[in-house]
Amino acid sequence: MSIEGADTLAIETKALTKRYKDKAAVKHLELKVRKGEIYGFIGRNGAGKSTTLKMISGLAAFTEGEIRLFERPVGDPAVRRRLGVLIESAGLYPNMTAKQNVVMKARCMGLVDESSADEVLKLTGLADAGRKKVKHFSMGMKQRLGVALALLGNPDLLLLDEPINGLDPEGIREFRQLLLKLHEEGKTIVVSSHILGELSKIATSYGIIKDGELIEQITREELEERCQDYFQIEVHDIQRALVLIQETFPTVRAEVFDACSIRLFGIRDGAVINQMLIENQVQVSASGMHRMDLEEYFLERMEGRR
Amino acid sequence: MFNLLNMDLYRVKRSKSVYVCLCIFFAITVLVYWMLWLLATPGGQEKAVSIGLILAEERESAADVLSGVDSLVMFRQICQDGGMYKVVFGIWVMLFVCSDFQGGFIKNIMALHQKRQNYIGSKIITVGIVNFCFLVLNLIFTLMMNRLFGNMVPYAGWKDLLFYLSWDWLLTTAFGALIILVCILTRSVAAGAAVSVLLGSGMIVMMLYGTLNVFHMGGWMKYTIYLTGSMGPGRYTSMKDLYVYVVGAGFLVLYTVAAGIALKRQDI
């Protein structure tokens, strides 16, 4: 048995491919998630996030490639027990209570001590759900129960696909705190979410998937480096403004953001730009320095601007 | 597989549908006994005449309804031979399997158990256990009703009861395996219910049997689950009577293997 260090890969996929008839949903994916990371897995709808997570969790067969969890083959029963999953919606029996659902999963895992069911319910704030059946739960409660099921058996690796869907702001905050607590305990967490602002608060590294291909894997530090400051101006005549900027400041990188906005990278003082444009009778309606966040970085990557 | 079986039995115990099915079987048994008491016993006939169910001159012919009937024939006629049992049991199996897919709990199961045949194995064993309980409780209730209604029919020998119960259990478990296969393939409650009703009641089999018999080609259909169930022997007389076990076991293995292959090929 190998000794797992900090550099151990919790997930490693090699040329992972999934094809549905002629269409490839995931293409030669080389995913690497280090042990102890919170890995934000991001991509548009239909990009292949859920399919990838399903293949890792054994719910979908892969056409080609290899998946290793904690440096062992994905099919190894010992390694599967270290995995907790919440893929798409929480899989629950609606006519059972929260406790009964957790006991079902505990029996499925062969856990003899049912006190662990109470522990995960307490951890996810469902200890007081009592005899209320799951079909009467709110969306947020169902999601929390899904997380409780994923946490059962104290797994080392959690795969969470859109886990904060349906949670109210308080629920999202509690969920964030729960993930950070689990991270502190040394668990590896892979989270896919469209709520990038929330993801950026917890993730320690990111993977961006586009059309089934992993286009980038970066750490939080690398992302911060790449998320440059920029000066954004809103002008009435964008064509003229763009020509003037490129002529006057050839070292500045200018990108047209929308019909009336230009983003300028590599600039420290925006006042000179404003002054130049006004002198050349280009009306500036708004301007200011901005910090690129994960959402903007993601959109830029999606649009191929980087 | 033991863990999965443990989980399935936990769910069965907490599932209302099992008890609803039993209530349906018991209600039908009570209804049939009550109707026969009205038709075939002197006390009942007086009541039947007074409420206009039969005419006074029909009393003698109505009493003949029980001639040649013993407790085993009663048991078979109430639910088994006509297919009522298979319809209700099939619907229960459908609910039991489809709820895994409908609620999405199957994802929790399959993420843990990579050998998908274990899932099918657990389901078949659970279906077999529930089927056994249904049949035995149904038989006991039928015998109790016979006693309660004044021993209307003579009791069949225990060997005959055992012989019938054993092959009927095998055959109806095979029918349960067929419903599991349909649920795995379609993941649809509607499809599972439709197959339970159409095949369990014998609608399709009888239509096909009738059509094929016009061309003298329907002989093989005696070995279908439905016709074996309704035409199978009530007592063991010779080795030939053991064909019912072969039919039951054959279909059970066939549908179990097919369900295993179907699940293995599907993504969850």
Side-chain angles (χ1 to χ4, degrees):
Chain A
M1 196 175 151
S2 63
I3 298 163
E4 287 169 9
D7 291 334
T8 303
L9 289 174
I11 303 175
E12 184 183 19
T13 69
K14 290 176 185 169
L16 187 66
T17 304
K18 172 74 178 176
R19 270 192 214 98
Y20 293 104
K21 290 180 182 166
D22 296 333
K23 193 177 178 295
V26 174
K27 301 169 205 166
H28 304 286
L29 201 81
E30 303 274 347
L31 192 75
K32 285 182 174 60
V33 180
R34 280 194 306 277
K35 195 171 167 242
E37 276 186 337
I38 298 183
Y39 188 90
F41 196 36
I42 50 184
R44 284 181 174 146
N45 285 337
K49 302 187 296 291
S50 295
T51 307
T52 304
L53 295 182
K54 277 185 176 183
M55 286 191 284
I56 295 168
S57 55
L59 301 179
F62 43 94
T63 319
E64 283 168 32
E66 188 186 350
I67 302 173
R68 293 180 75 81
L69 302 180
F70 298 105
E71 302 184 346
R72 296 173 79 167
V74 71
D76 187 336
V79 92
R80 296 223 68 80
R81 292 185 68 83
R82 299 175 67 180
L83 182 67
V85 298
L86 169 59
I87 306 284
E88 292 166 344
S89 59
L92 307 165
Y93 290 116
N95 287 317
M96 288 184 147
T97 64
K99 172 92 185 269
Q100 285 171 340
N101 268 283
V102 180
V103 171
M104 284 283 291
K105 172 91 187 282
R107 289 188 175 220
C108 181
M109 295 175 83
L111 300 177
V112 282
D113 181 14
E114 287 182 5
S115 65
S116 56
D118 295 320
E119 275 172 35
V120 292
L121 286 173
K122 199 175 160 193
L123 199 64
T124 49
L126 289 168
D128 300 327
R131 295 170 69 87
K132 191 176 178 182
K133 287 189 174 170
V134 166
K135 63 183 171 189
H136 301 302
F137 277 19
S138 66
M139 184 75 173
M141 285 173 85
K142 283 181 188 167
Q143 282 299 93
R144 277 192 278 162
L145 183 53
V147 175
L149 291 180
L151 289 175
L152 198 67
N154 197 21
D156 296 316
L157 171 62
L158 281 169
L159 301 181
L160 308 172
D161 187 16
E162 303 289 352
I164 51 179
N165 273 5
L167 294 185
D168 56 20
E170 198 187 343
I172 291 176
R173 188 175 56 88
E174 285 171 7
F175 186 73
R176 187 199 316 141
Q177 285 166 349
L178 173 65
L179 288 193
L180 292 171
K181 188 177 166 227
L182 293 169
H183 179 236
E184 275 173 24
E185 288 173 14
K187 297 198 189 306
T188 311
I189 306 166
V190 177
V191 194
S192 91
S193 177
H194 286 124
I195 308 172
L196 301 184
E198 194 54 43
L199 202 58
S200 65
K201 289 178 188 166
I202 53 169
T204 56
S205 59
Y206 302 90
I208 302 175
I209 186 169
K210 184 184 178 186
D211 300 329
E213 288 177 88
L214 193 69
I215 55 171
E216 189 164 26
Q217 286 195 105
I218 48 169
T219 63
R220 181 196 280 165
E221 293 74 28
E222 286 169 335
L223 179 75
E224 278 169 7
E225 254 176 47
R226 288 183 203 183
C227 285
Q228 303 162 335
D229 290 337
Y230 62 89
F231 183 68
Q232 183 162 315
I233 50 169
E234 285 178 27
V235 290
H236 287 184
D237 188 349
I238 199 159
Q239 297 292 346
R240 189 165 147 69
L242 202 58
V243 171
L244 285 167
I245 291 165
Q246 282 168 345
E247 277 177 1
T248 320
F249 305 99
T251 56
V252 169
R253 185 162 65 90
E255 281 179 8
V256 176
F257 181 65
D258 58 34
C260 60
S261 307
I262 303 172
R263 286 180 177 180
L264 304 170
F265 296 88
I267 192 162
R268 288 190 181 276
D269 184 11
V272 288
I273 302 274
N274 277 340
Q275 194 182 350
M276 181 274 291
L277 290 172
I278 290 162
E279 279 170 1
N280 285 283
Q281 287 155 3
V282 176
Q283 204 177 334
V284 179
S285 52
S287 66
M289 288 300 290
H290 292 268
R291 173 89 187 153
M292 184 182 270
D293 60 12
L294 174 63
E295 191 172 288
E296 283 177 281
Y297 182 80
F298 168 72
L299 288 172
E300 291 224 331
R301 291 296 279 134
M302 285 294 111
E303 284 158 21
R305 288 205 290 249
R306 276 172 181 266
Chain B
M1 192 162 74
F2 178 76
N3 293 339
L4 285 172
L5 184 61
N6 188 12
M7 181 194 76
D8 279 335
L9 292 177
Y10 175 85
R11 184 151 72 94
V12 166
K13 275 192 274 178
R14 275 148 192 86
S15 139
K16 272 187 204 156
S17 55
V18 174
Y19 306 104
V20 170
C21 289
L22 265 180
C23 288
I24 291 171
F25 297 137
F26 291 170
I28 292 167
T29 307
V30 171
L31 191 71
V32 171
Y33 265 99
W34 181 68
M35 290 296 287
L36 287 173
W37 176 79
L38 282 175
L39 292 173
T41 62
Q45 283 182 341
E46 261 179 48
K47 197 101 182 159
V49 171
S50 71
I51 60 172
L53 190 69
I54 55 168
L55 299 170
E57 50 271 27
E58 287 176 331
R59 281 182 175 195
E60 257 184 54
S61 59
D64 283 346
V65 76
L66 286 180
S67 64
V69 174
D70 63 10
S71 57
L72 178 58
V73 176
M74 272 295 270
F75 175 65
R76 288 184 67 163
Q77 291 293 320
I78 290 171
C79 276
Q80 306 296 324
D81 288 358
M84 178 72 186
Y85 178 85
K86 286 191 198 73
V87 171
V88 176
F89 178 63
I91 289 173
W92 177 81
V93 174
M94 174 274 292
L95 289 173
F96 181 62
V97 178
C98 282
S99 59
D100 281 350
F101 291 93
Q102 301 252 308
F105 201 87
I106 188 87
K107 289 182 284 189
N108 297 318
I109 299 171
M110 290 305 166
L112 279 165
H113 296 270
Q114 290 293 288
K115 288 184 180 168
R116 294 188 175 178
Q117 58 269 35
N118 285 353
Y119 174 83
I120 300 294
S122 163
K123 285 284 177 277
I124 296 285
I125 295 172
T126 309
V127 162
I129 291 170
V130 172
N131 186 23
F132 178 78
C133 296
F134 277 170
L135 286 173
V136 170
L137 290 172
N138 236 336
L139 179 66
I140 292 170
F141 191 75
T142 306
L143 298 177
M144 277 168 55
M145 283 297 106
N146 194 40
R147 166 70 48 113
L148 200 72
F149 280 90
N151 293 329
M152 278 198 297
V153 293
Y155 290 93
W158 66 270
K159 280 183 185 168
D160 295 341
L161 286 174
L162 218 58
F163 173 66
Y164 174 74
L165 267 189
S166 59
W167 68 255
D168 191 42
W169 172 79
L170 201 58
L171 214 58
T172 39
T173 304
F175 183 72
L178 167 64
I179 302 300
I180 291 172
L181 170 64
V182 172
C183 292
I184 298 292
L185 286 173
T186 65
R187 301 182 188 184
S188 156
V189 170
V195 171
S196 299
V197 172
L198 293 174
L199 293 181
S201 66
M203 261 192 260
I204 291 190
V205 174
M206 290 311 285
M207 272 195 323
L208 205 62
Y209 186 54
T211 310
L212 289 174
N213 265 349
V214 172
F215 307 102
H216 307 288
M217 290 163 65
W220 63 272
M221 291 204 71
K222 285 177 192 160
Y223 303 104
T224 56
I225 290 180
Y226 178 78
L227 285 178
T228 305
S230 29
M231 293 157 72
R235 64 164 46 110
Y236 175 75
T237 51
S238 69
M239 285 288 278
K240 268 175 78 179
D241 290 335
L242 297 180
Y243 84 94
V244 283
Y245 290 105
V246 177
V247 173
F251 279 117
L252 181 60
V253 170
L254 176 73
Y255 293 136
T256 304
V257 171
I261 292 169
L263 188 62
K264 207 173 172 184
R265 287 186 174 182
Q266 287 178 346
D267 288 343
I268 304 298

